[in-house]
Amino acid sequence: MSSIAFIGLGNMGAPMAQNLVKAGHQLTVFDLVPAAVKGLTDAGARAASSAAEAVRGAEIVVSMLPASKHVEGLYLGDDLLSSIDSSALVIECSTISPDSARKVAAAAQARGLAMIDAPVSGGTGGAVAGTLTFIVGGEQAALQRAMPVLQNMGKNIFHAGAAGAGQVAKICNNMLLGILMAGTSEALALGVANGLDPQVLSDIIAKSSGRNWATELYNPWPGVMDHAPASKGYAGGFGVDLMLKDLGLAAESALSSRATIPLGELARNLYALHSSGGSGKLDFSSIVNLYTQKAT
Ligand code: NAD
């Protein structure tokens, strides 16, 4: 068992850290929001008063923050790297730009620290169940060291390539997720507008060629799946603004590589429109509301 510092205890970080406590690791946790820390201290983790205090003496540092600016701000701006033991391993799980991931990894390497980017897929349900998919970029040796800890939080662990490659793969996946959630919402709204029951139509699609992750596990229509954010007022889950961030990362990557992503760009505009209407903090499956709001 290892001594682990865990920084960022939001919708994803909190259940991931809980699973590490359950597996028997010694956890020291930090979040800017004191209320986020409480659930972990109740479970047996130790609270630190700063990120620097949390990482001191830790064998492994895990971070799960919103976006690139938070990750660069923490490791480079606040120079957290200088407080981490040079024998420690850093596992950075946030979804951020590949360039940011490479920049922080290079700074870590310059201090002799091993670091991997390990963004996740599987949503808050996967974080709670410990069945996340980790998509790793970095040295194979660092991944091998991280493996036991990743296995306490996830089920499928992929090595995408060198530093930053985990983020590239994650961005491709989330661009597809944004597109398929908008497409599923559009299809359900069309069926309902033409008199179909959303449950019946969802059951049909789930067993037909249009089936996908949304129709199987995360239906955007309220009441179709009890456990989905759609049936809980779109609370929790994966925020519209986080999806918008990931579609922005896809657009940046497309620009720099001269790739074309017409559907990804269209999806980015749909989520931006939805967010600007005040839905940024709702789960991203609330994109269905764009199709169901009627003009008065
Ligand atoms: P969140 O906003 O719920 O949580 C982020 C947490 O980080 C917050 O508690 C915030 O207070 C904390 N934080 C920010 N800056 C900090 C700092 N400097 N020091 C300490 N704590 C700090 O976000 P989330 O939904 O948990 O997502 C985290 C990351 O995981 C994002 O990059 C997101 O894109 C990615 N992700 C989310 C999901 C999902 O379903 N929610 C799924 C896969 C990946």
Side-chain angles (χ1 to χ4, degrees):
M1 292 304 128
S2 308
S3 65
I4 301 178
F6 204 112
I7 301 165
L9 305 163
N11 289 329
M12 294 296 287
M16 290 164 71
Q18 294 270 8
N19 282 331
L20 293 178
V21 174
K22 272 187 216 149
H25 297 289
Q26 277 186 322
L27 249 72
T28 305
V29 298
F30 177 70
D31 193 291
L32 294 177
V33 177
V37 176
K38 173 102 177 49
L40 265 299
T41 48
D42 288 350
R46 193 174 76 81
S49 58
S50 67
E53 185 195 319
V55 303
R56 218 158 281 138
E59 294 164 295
I60 293 178
V61 175
V62 184
S63 51
M64 191 50 158
L65 306 178
S68 303
K69 66 176 182 196
H70 306 92
V71 174
E72 286 196 32
L74 180 74
Y75 286 105
L76 307 179
D78 297 345
D79 196 19
L80 188 68
L81 291 175
S82 65
S83 302
I84 302 175
D85 225 89
S86 60
S87 60
L89 167 70
V90 182
I91 305 175
E92 212 302 295
C93 298
S94 328
T95 304
I96 61 173
S97 83
D99 283 347
S100 279
R102 288 183 200 112
K103 198 165 144 187
V104 179
Q109 196 182 18
R111 289 184 175 274
L113 271 171
M115 180 166 193
I116 56 172
D117 45 296
V120 306
S121 181
T124 46
V128 172
T131 56
L132 290 170
T133 295
F134 284 91
I135 309 165
V136 175
E139 301 275 338
Q140 180 72 44
L143 170 56
Q144 285 317 315
R145 277 176 70 192
M147 203 56 109
V149 171
L150 298 182
Q151 282 166 340
N152 291 146
M153 301 184 284
K155 209 162 116 197
N156 298 302
I157 296 152
F158 292 101
H159 189 202
Q167 299 295 350
V168 176
K170 168 69 184 168
I171 288 165
C172 294
N173 178 76
N174 273 29
M175 181 180 80
L176 181 56
L177 175 63
I179 294 168
L180 76 81
M181 186 58 82
T184 302
S185 298
E186 195 167 300
L188 292 177
L190 175 65
V192 171
N194 284 275
L196 291 187
D197 179 327
Q199 179 76 62
V200 171
L201 178 55
S202 296
D203 290 346
I204 292 168
I205 294 176
K207 293 285 177 226
S208 302
S209 46
R211 73 175 181 273
N212 60 64
W213 185 80
T215 59
E216 283 171 9
L217 292 168
Y218 213 94
N219 197 294
W221 206 277
V224 172
M225 283 178 183
D226 288 346
H227 67 269
S231 299
K232 299 172 186 163
Y234 299 102
F238 181 47
V240 169
D241 283 345
L242 287 177
M243 173 52 84
L244 189 52
K245 173 202 65 164
D246 291 356
L247 290 166
L249 293 175
E252 273 175 32
S253 299
L255 265 178
S256 65
S257 59
R258 296 182 166 231
T260 50
I261 53 161
L263 291 177
E265 285 285 15
L266 183 54
R268 187 173 71 81
N269 277 296
L270 286 174
Y271 288 95
L273 185 64
H274 188 40
S275 176
S276 68
S279 300
K281 300 288 171 241
L282 297 182
D283 180 74
F284 81 114
S285 62
S286 64
I287 192 75
V288 72
N289 291 338
L290 269 192
Y291 297 93
T292 54
Q293 280 154 5
K294 296 216 165 45
T296 46

